[in-house]
Amino acid sequence: MFFRQTQSLSWPLLVFLTLLSLDLCACSHPSRAGETESIALLPLENDSSAGAFDGFGNAAPYLIAWQLDGTPDLYAFPAVGLNAAAEAHAGRILYGWYQLRNGTLEAHLTLQTADRNRTQSQATFRGDPASVLNGIARSLKASARSLEASDDG
């Protein structure tokens, strides 16, 4: 069976399809000025054999989200994993690990695009838990709230 092309695509249809495809491609671009950027904060993995900061990795995303809450043009939220970040349409993902080294908390973090094709930054933060969290939050937005160090031993 042979098919015969009876009519070619009209130019208005071609223009429409071209504009539609360009619009769909724009969804993968980073946020533009004035748009709210979203960052998924994943729990940090404990790479330390010491149990002194066991809960730090699970608490960190919630504390950083609180520190960044209310900052203009940024929505940071805790996510339990990559699937949760994708479901929430995160533009970027912050993940990493921490350990206790020479009595000091050390956190190693990576900020990537949500499609994980491009690493935007990597950083290491050292100190007590509050100063580590303050450093992380301020690296995302300079106007982040600060946490006060606790004197609880």
Side-chain angles (χ1 to χ4, degrees), residues 2 9 25 29 43 56 67 79 89 114 119:
F2 294 96
L9 290 176
C25 290
H29 290 260
F56 179 78
Q67 288 178 279
H89 303 286
T119 298

Side-chain angles (χ1 to χ4, degrees), residues 61-117:
Y62 295 95
L63 294 168
I64 295 168
W66 176 82
Q67 288 178 279
L68 296 170
D69 187 39
T71 57
D73 303 330
L74 179 66
Y75 172 59
F77 61 94
V80 294
L82 292 173
N83 288 340
E87 288 173 4
H89 303 286
R92 297 190 294 171
I93 298 171
L94 181 74
Y95 66 94
W97 56 277
Y98 69 97
Q99 67 179 357
L100 188 61
R101 175 179 255 169
N102 299 326
T104 303
L105 181 64
E106 185 176 277
H108 299 262
L109 294 157
T110 302
L111 184 63
Q112 284 189 333
T113 56
D115 57 10
R116 298 180 63 100
N117 285 338

Side-chain angles (χ1 to χ4, degrees), residues 22-151:
L22 290 174
D23 188 44
L24 292 174
C25 290
C27 295
S28 64
H29 290 260
S31 62
R32 296 174 190 93
E35 292 182 6
T36 301
E37 179 183 10
S38 62
I39 300 176
L41 308 168
L42 274 58
L44 304 178
E45 295 182 28
N46 186 357
D47 197 35
S48 176
S49 59
F53 296 107
D54 276 343
F56 179 78
N58 290 330
Y62 295 95
L63 294 168
I64 295 168
W66 176 82
Q67 288 178 279
L68 296 170
D69 187 39
T71 57
D73 303 330
L74 179 66
Y75 172 59
F77 61 94
V80 294
L82 292 173
N83 288 340
E87 288 173 4
H89 303 286
R92 297 190 294 171
I93 298 171
L94 181 74
Y95 66 94
W97 56 277
Y98 69 97
Q99 67 179 357
L100 188 61
R101 175 179 255 169
N102 299 326
T104 303
L105 181 64
E106 185 176 277
H108 299 262
L109 294 157
T110 302
L111 184 63
Q112 284 189 333
T113 56
D115 57 10
R116 298 180 63 100
N117 285 338
R118 191 176 58 167
T119 298
Q120 294 183 321
S121 66
Q122 291 181 320
T124 302
F125 300 91
R126 293 177 183 88
D128 63 274
S131 64
V132 168
L133 291 170
N134 288 338
I136 295 168
R138 287 201 183 105
S139 72
L140 297 172
K141 198 73 162 182
S143 60
R145 294 180 186 138
S146 293
L147 293 172
E148 298 297 323
S150 173
D151 59 358

